[in-house]
Amino acid sequence: MKNNKMQVALLGLGTVGTGVYKVLKRQKNEMVQKLGVEIELAKILVRNVEKAKEKVEDPSIITTNWKEILEDDTIDIIVEVMGGIEPARTYILEALRKGKNIVTANKDLIAVDGRILMDTAKENQRDFLYEAAVAGGIPIISPLKQSLYANCIEEVIGIVNGTTNFILTKMAEENMEFEDALKLATELGYAEADPTADIEGLDAARKVAILASIAFNSRVTFQDVYIEGITHITARDIRYAREMGCEIKLLGVARNREEGIEVSVHPMLIDSRHPLASVNDSFNAVFIRGDAVGDAMFYGRGAGELPTASAIVGDIFNVAQNIIMNCTGRIHCTCYKSLPIRKMDDIVSRFFMRMYVDDRPGVLASVTSVFGNNNVSIEQFIQKRKSGDLAELVVITEDVLEHDFNDSLRILKTMSMIKEISSVIRVY
Amino acid sequence: MKNNKMQVALLGLGTVGTGVYKVLKRQKNEMVQKLGVEIELAKILVRNVEKAKEKVEDPSIITTNWKEILEDDTIDIIVEVMGGIEPARTYILEALRKGKNIVTANKDLIAVDGRILMDTAKENQRDFLYEAAVAGGIPIISPLKQSLYANCIEEVIGIVNGTTNFILTKMAEENMEFEDALKLATELGYAEADPTADIEGLDAARKVAILASIAFNSRVTFQDVYIEGITHITARDIRYAREMGCEIKLLGVARNREEGIEVSVHPMLIDSRHPLASVNDSFNAVFIRGDAVGDAMFYGRGAGELPTASAIVGDIFNVAQNIIMNCTGRIHCTCYKSLPIRKMDDIVSRFFMRMYVDDRPGVLASVTSVFGNNNVSIEQFIQKRKSGDLAELVVITEDVLEHDFNDSLRILKTMSMIKEISSVIRVY
């Protein structure tokens, strides 16, 4: 505090940092009534001072010197929006140990090092809030830790990456191929110059690790998540999915089973009537199932300057209330269990599989016997069309062990009558 | 506290009370890890002891004597799930003044007397939480007061009554008429013996008053809400709506305009692509628009024993954490403004209108001139079919003043060429 104003330092002034700056400014008059105190942005840590100075009214708050912030005892709250592991990790730990409260959107860091960050916050009885780290502006972390806290959460399924959801929506609605939809996403600013983290599912995996940790009260890290991206999805897959009454979405799926936690990110066919199926464009949604609440879904903007800033400034207000009430650290790490993570091989899934085979008698029998010998039950077997000597087959399995399905796949790939296995996509 | 256990008293053991009893029991082992303390259900206040004793393991906790609870200083949290205005109001006020914290699901009471309840909680620095009062298990009040608190909320639209949503879904999907769908809802337990509060929109109006108060930081009461129920909606209206790419839903609509707050509950045509349009059966959803977060939606079970108990026990846990951290009253009434409520006459709406007119030349011209003379612009004029000497007309207006539209309606009703005005439904 300084002159009766709560002092905040912002680390980073990129898209999200700029959003935080704007929202704090918009709320300048409201916040006094909301909190009984004004929040002042006292310092902004940046690398490039000149670029940063153009973005703010009072350039004197810009600094490149972390120590200047760390050692300023009037600063109560540090908002870390630099992203990446280092130096964010060091700064946050140093700040917590100095008794400062942290608000961050850093999913990369939390998905890997969540435990030490939250333990350090707890030791120092300070707040460590990160609503913006998952699904941007959508309140999901706080509801799981508060309003839904009396539930045993059985399942969390999320569309938590806007870039891939935009791409899949365009592919579905305009019959575009992946590369074209990605190009459009890049042009419109939905995809970054290097889109790897989005299209390969890494970004979604970080978010689902964080969600699973909170939902199941047991630490799940990025390394625990099985990951498949959407680069192999074709417009034809989506068309066939729609014929079967399904959409294809990149889903983060986490389940709390008796045998342990299942956690994965991959494209899936999902029934068009499921609430997640109509979450389109760059929107995100998180669907949960709890033993008391039943099904619930949270929908909104998962990224962007202002939606992400909405969550961050919400967290800042929350910390401010805790400081005023002298109860920082009120909600800390909720991972009080140590549940095992299940191997993907041991998980039960349904599969959609599309392949080209020789169009001659006996082929179907051979294919089905491979599945049969490996405990893979088939729900549907559809011959889609013929072209020349080849027939296109679509197979939908029943619930089967991933292990058994992969065994079948390995054998099918060696068979000369099978010319191409074009797609293998899980079915929700 | 007593023997290191936090003591809770439950007022009422109907559907919701029984749910709270069950969820607290389910969470018995979890809660110690979640909160660091056990929560004990110390007393249950009922009217009929014999009936209540059958529902609980330890009948000694049942009482009919409020004073026994009020004067027991070991009881920290009172959970009021009796419903209705009195004696709930008196009990809550007495309990707050005695320094007890309150969790309630009582929308009837809050929508009328919210201010005095929350002021009394604040004076006594105690918690007054009511997540379950709106949209059952769906976290919406706490997100609005915390994660979304850095927004100026512009609009809240909710499907907040499961009974009417179930009825409208059945009418749409199975082409049922209102009376038949209501009968089915009653048989399945979705509608109460006296369904008035649901089908006339009163229940939804209470919830939207509470939502609007929180969203706009200004007290809105039940009396402020313009209310229309769904009893006049026909299967034909829904069929025509669908032909136009819309669903009909009972929507609670609250908007924060420069001129004041608009708040109403009525059936509306809503575009099928809107996320609210696919909220079916007895599910609820609340859609909000904020200046930072943009569009967001919260979806789930709006009623029922366990979903409602999910929200209530979530609140109990929340209070327990506040008691432990010595910060009860951390979040209190957020109505720090006094915005005017706009008269319905001054609001701008779009209308769908269906009528039977004489099938002869000049009728259309007469009808359109009535609209024209009253500043009502027509977007679509559709002649649906003829039967005998009558033609069925559907009119969709542009955005028009309710006042102007009602003037037109009054005149049309006097015209002999107009045989029947069958439906007037607003369009979102």
Side-chain angles (χ1 to χ4, degrees):
Chain A
M1 297 281 279
K2 191 174 161 185
N3 309 327
N4 278 324
K5 292 176 183 173
M6 200 147 309
Q7 303 291 302
V8 171
L10 188 59
L11 315 187
L13 194 61
T15 305
V16 176
T18 308
V20 172
Y21 180 83
K22 287 181 187 169
V23 173
L24 279 174
K25 211 167 138 188
R26 279 191 194 178
Q27 288 283 311
K28 195 173 165 58
N29 294 322
E30 299 280 328
M31 64 174 72
V32 179
Q33 294 173 284
K34 284 180 176 174
L35 307 169
V37 68
E38 191 178 328
I39 289 171
E40 187 168 67
L41 192 49
K43 294 276 174 212
I44 307 178
L45 183 74
V46 298
R47 274 179 301 193
N48 185 328
V49 175
E50 293 316 310
K51 227 169 92 186
K53 281 187 172 171
E54 287 165 22
K55 296 188 189 172
V56 298
E57 265 178 25
D58 173 10
S60 75
I61 63 174
I62 305 285
T63 177
T64 56
N65 182 0
W66 163 239
K67 293 282 177 242
E68 197 182 309
I69 293 170
L70 181 68
E71 278 154 21
D72 184 341
D73 289 336
T74 66
I75 290 174
D76 312 288
I77 306 171
I78 306 273
V79 180
E80 185 275 306
V81 287
M82 303 184 290
I85 304 296
E86 283 294 352
R89 185 180 186 279
T90 302
Y91 289 177
I92 290 175
L93 289 172
E94 287 180 354
L96 285 169
R97 289 182 188 127
K98 271 273 193 185
K100 297 187 190 308
N101 299 279
I102 302 290
V103 173
T104 175
N106 196 328
K107 54 191 173 289
D108 303 43
L109 180 58
I110 299 167
V112 175
D113 282 324
R115 184 180 298 275
I116 179 148
L117 301 171
M118 288 176 226
D119 284 354
T120 308
K122 193 177 174 185
E123 279 159 26
N124 293 280
Q125 198 58 33
R126 286 299 177 270
D127 279 331
F128 178 83
L129 300 185
Y130 50 100
E131 185 61 70
V134 178
I138 308 171
I140 178 65
I141 291 174
S142 169
L144 280 171
K145 289 193 171 207
Q146 297 189 66
S147 305
L148 297 168
Y149 204 36
N151 283 266
C152 284
I153 305 289
E154 296 152 14
E155 187 174 55
V156 181
I157 321 170
I159 294 175
V160 287
N161 180 272
T163 309
T164 46
N165 204 45
F166 176 84
I167 291 172
L168 290 171
T169 303
K170 285 291 155 192
M171 290 175 70
E173 289 185 354
E174 296 173 29
N175 202 26
M176 290 172 95
E177 285 301 341
F178 172 76
E179 290 300 337
D180 300 320
L182 171 60
K183 216 178 130 206
L184 181 63
T186 312
E187 282 166 17
L188 295 175
Y190 287 127
E192 293 179 53
D194 176 1
T196 314
D198 292 323
I199 62 178
E200 296 294 356
L202 311 180
D203 174 78
R206 291 180 183 117
K207 292 166 181 168
V208 81
I210 297 171
L211 280 177
S213 301
I214 299 165
F216 307 145
N217 304 116
S218 182
R219 178 70 49 199
V220 175
T221 68
F222 176 64
Q223 291 85 349
D224 294 325
V225 186
Y226 170 86
I227 308 172
E228 249 180 60
I230 63 160
T231 55
H232 62 284
I233 303 293
T234 65
R236 182 186 297 271
D237 293 324
I238 295 177
R239 213 156 58 238
Y240 287 177
R242 287 193 148 186
E243 284 173 18
M244 297 160 57
C246 292
E247 300 289 334
I248 296 181
K249 294 288 182 191
L250 181 69
L251 298 182
V253 180
R255 294 200 180 94
N256 192 3
R257 304 271 194 203
E258 224 165 284
E259 303 86 352
I261 292 174
E262 301 175 1
V263 58
S264 55
V265 167
H266 37 60
M268 283 190 117
L269 276 76
I270 185 166
D271 191 304
S272 304
R273 288 163 301 184
H274 192 285
L276 284 171
S278 49
V279 175
N280 285 325
D281 301 316
S282 65
F283 277 95
N284 281 20
V286 178
F287 184 91
I288 65 125
R289 176 166 295 149
D291 68 339
V293 75
D295 291 347
M297 193 177 82
F298 303 77
Y299 165 98
R301 289 275 171 207
E305 184 185 77
L306 292 180
T308 310
S310 161
I312 291 173
V313 182
D315 276 351
I316 296 174
F317 283 11
N318 215 325
V319 175
Q321 280 169 321
N322 289 343
I323 292 174
I324 292 166
M325 297 295 290
N326 197 23
C327 63
T328 58
R330 180 177 160 278
I331 291 177
H332 44 71
C333 182
T334 48
C335 292
Y336 56 81
K337 297 180 188 176
S338 286
L339 302 175
I341 308 289
R342 298 189 76 192
K343 285 196 203 111
M344 204 64 189
D345 262 359
D346 301 334
I347 287 179
V348 164
S349 296
R350 281 175 72 209
F351 288 90
F352 163 100
M353 183 178 171
R354 189 164 63 83
M355 58 188 150
Y356 290 93
V357 301
D358 282 341
D359 184 23
R360 59 179 169 78
V363 171
L364 247 85
S366 303
V367 171
T368 48
S369 80
V370 170
F371 282 126
N373 293 338
N374 287 283
N375 308 311
V376 173
S377 300
I378 303 300
E379 189 193 282
Q380 284 187 64
F381 216 122
I382 313 161
Q383 180 152 330
K384 296 300 297 189
R385 55 166 199 165
K386 297 181 184 195
S387 74
D389 297 336
L390 296 181
E392 188 185 22
L393 294 183
V394 168
V395 178
I396 314 274
T397 73
E398 311 229 339
D399 271 339
V400 299
L401 266 177
E402 291 254 349
H403 177 76
D404 288 336
F405 183 80
N406 288 333
D407 283 349
S408 311
L409 207 56
R410 253 189 302 277
I411 297 167
L412 291 172
K413 278 178 178 167
T414 66
M415 289 163 68
S416 64
M417 65 188 75
I418 296 178
K419 296 308 172 200
E420 186 188 309
I421 294 177
S422 315
S423 323
V424 174
I425 310 173
R426 288 172 187 78
V427 181
Y428 180 71
Chain B
M1 298 278 282
K2 190 174 162 188
N3 308 325
N4 279 321
K5 291 178 183 171
M6 200 148 306
Q7 304 290 300
V8 171
L10 189 59
L11 315 187
L13 193 61
T15 306
V16 176
T18 308
V20 172
Y21 180 82
K22 286 181 187 171
V23 173
L24 279 174
K25 211 167 137 187
R26 281 190 192 178
Q27 289 282 311
K28 195 173 165 56
N29 294 321
E30 300 280 326
M31 64 174 71
V32 179
Q33 295 174 282
K34 283 179 177 173
L35 306 169
V37 69
E38 193 179 325
I39 289 170
E40 188 168 68
L41 191 49
K43 293 277 175 212
I44 306 178
L45 182 74
V46 298
R47 272 179 302 193
N48 185 329
V49 175
E50 293 316 310
K51 226 170 92 186
K53 280 187 172 170
E54 287 165 21
K55 294 188 188 172
V56 297
E57 265 178 22
D58 173 11
S60 74
I61 64 174
I62 304 287
T63 179
T64 55
N65 181 359
W66 163 238
K67 293 279 177 245
E68 198 183 308
I69 291 171
L70 181 68
E71 278 154 21
D72 183 341
D73 289 335
T74 67
I75 290 174
D76 311 289
I77 306 170
I78 306 272
V79 180
E80 184 275 305
V81 287
M82 303 184 293
I85 304 295
E86 283 296 350
R89 186 180 185 281
T90 302
Y91 289 178
I92 290 174
L93 289 172
E94 286 180 354
L96 285 168
R97 289 181 187 129
K98 270 273 192 185
K100 299 188 190 305
N101 298 281
I102 301 290
V103 173
T104 175
N106 196 328
K107 52 191 173 291
D108 303 41
L109 179 58
I110 299 167
V112 175
D113 281 325
R115 184 181 299 274
I116 178 147
L117 300 172
M118 288 176 228
D119 284 354
T120 308
K122 192 177 174 185
E123 280 159 26
N124 294 277
Q125 198 57 33
R126 287 297 178 269
D127 280 331
F128 178 83
L129 300 185
Y130 51 100
E131 185 59 71
V134 178
I138 307 171
I140 178 67
I141 291 174
S142 168
L144 280 171
K145 288 193 171 207
Q146 296 189 64
S147 305
L148 297 168
Y149 203 36
N151 283 267
C152 284
I153 305 289
E154 296 152 14
E155 187 175 55
V156 181
I157 321 169
I159 295 175
V160 286
N161 180 272
T163 309
T164 46
N165 204 44
F166 175 84
I167 291 171
L168 290 171
T169 303
K170 285 291 155 193
M171 289 175 71
E173 290 184 354
E174 296 172 27
N175 203 25
M176 290 170 94
E177 285 300 342
F178 171 76
E179 289 300 337
D180 299 320
L182 171 60
K183 216 178 131 206
L184 180 64
T186 311
E187 282 166 17
L188 294 175
Y190 287 126
E192 292 179 55
D194 176 1
T196 313
D198 291 323
I199 62 178
E200 296 295 356
L202 311 180
D203 174 77
R206 291 177 185 119
K207 292 167 182 169
V208 82
I210 297 171
L211 280 178
S213 301
I214 299 165
F216 307 145
N217 304 116
S218 183
R219 178 69 50 200
V220 176
T221 68
F222 175 65
Q223 290 85 348
D224 295 324
V225 187
Y226 170 86
I227 308 172
E228 248 180 61
I230 62 161
T231 54
H232 62 284
I233 303 294
T234 66
R236 182 186 296 271
D237 293 324
I238 295 179
R239 215 158 54 239
Y240 287 177
R242 286 193 149 188
E243 285 173 17
M244 298 161 55
C246 291
E247 300 289 335
I248 296 182
K249 295 287 183 192
L250 181 69
L251 298 182
V253 180
R255 294 201 181 93
N256 192 2
R257 304 269 195 205
E258 224 166 285
E259 303 87 351
I261 293 174
E262 301 175 0
V263 58
S264 56
V265 166
H266 37 60
M268 282 191 119
L269 276 74
I270 184 167
D271 192 302
S272 303
R273 289 164 301 183
H274 193 285
L276 282 171
S278 49
V279 174
N280 286 324
D281 301 316
S282 64
F283 277 94
N284 281 20
V286 178
F287 184 92
I288 65 125
R289 176 166 295 151
D291 68 340
V293 75
D295 291 347
M297 191 177 83
F298 303 77
Y299 165 97
R301 290 274 171 210
E305 184 186 77
L306 292 180
T308 310
S310 163
I312 291 173
V313 181
D315 276 352
I316 296 175
F317 283 10
N318 215 326
V319 176
Q321 281 170 321
N322 288 343
I323 293 174
I324 292 167
M325 298 293 291
N326 198 23
C327 61
T328 57
R330 181 178 158 278
I331 292 177
H332 44 71
C333 182
T334 48
C335 292
Y336 55 81
K337 298 180 188 175
S338 285
L339 302 175
I341 307 289
R342 297 190 76 192
K343 282 195 206 115
M344 203 62 188
D345 262 359
D346 300 334
I347 288 180
V348 164
S349 297
R350 282 175 70 208
F351 288 91
F352 163 102
M353 183 177 171
R354 191 163 61 82
M355 58 187 151
Y356 290 93
V357 300
D358 282 340
D359 184 23
R360 57 177 171 80
V363 171
L364 246 84
S366 304
V367 172
T368 48
S369 80
V370 170
F371 283 126
N373 293 339
N374 287 283
N375 309 312
V376 173
S377 300
I378 303 300
E379 187 193 285
Q380 284 185 64
F381 216 122
I382 312 162
Q383 178 149 329
K384 296 299 296 185
R385 53 166 202 167
K386 297 180 183 197
S387 75
D389 298 336
L390 296 181
E392 187 185 22
L393 294 183
V394 169
V395 178
I396 314 274
T397 73
E398 311 229 340
D399 271 338
V400 299
L401 266 178
E402 292 254 348
H403 177 76
D404 288 336
F405 183 80
N406 289 332
D407 283 349
S408 312
L409 207 57
R410 254 189 302 277
I411 297 167
L412 291 172
K413 279 179 177 165
T414 65
M415 289 162 69
S416 64
M417 65 186 77
I418 295 178
K419 294 307 170 202
E420 185 188 307
I421 293 177
S422 314
S423 324
V424 175
I425 311 173
R426 287 172 188 79
V427 180
Y428 180 71

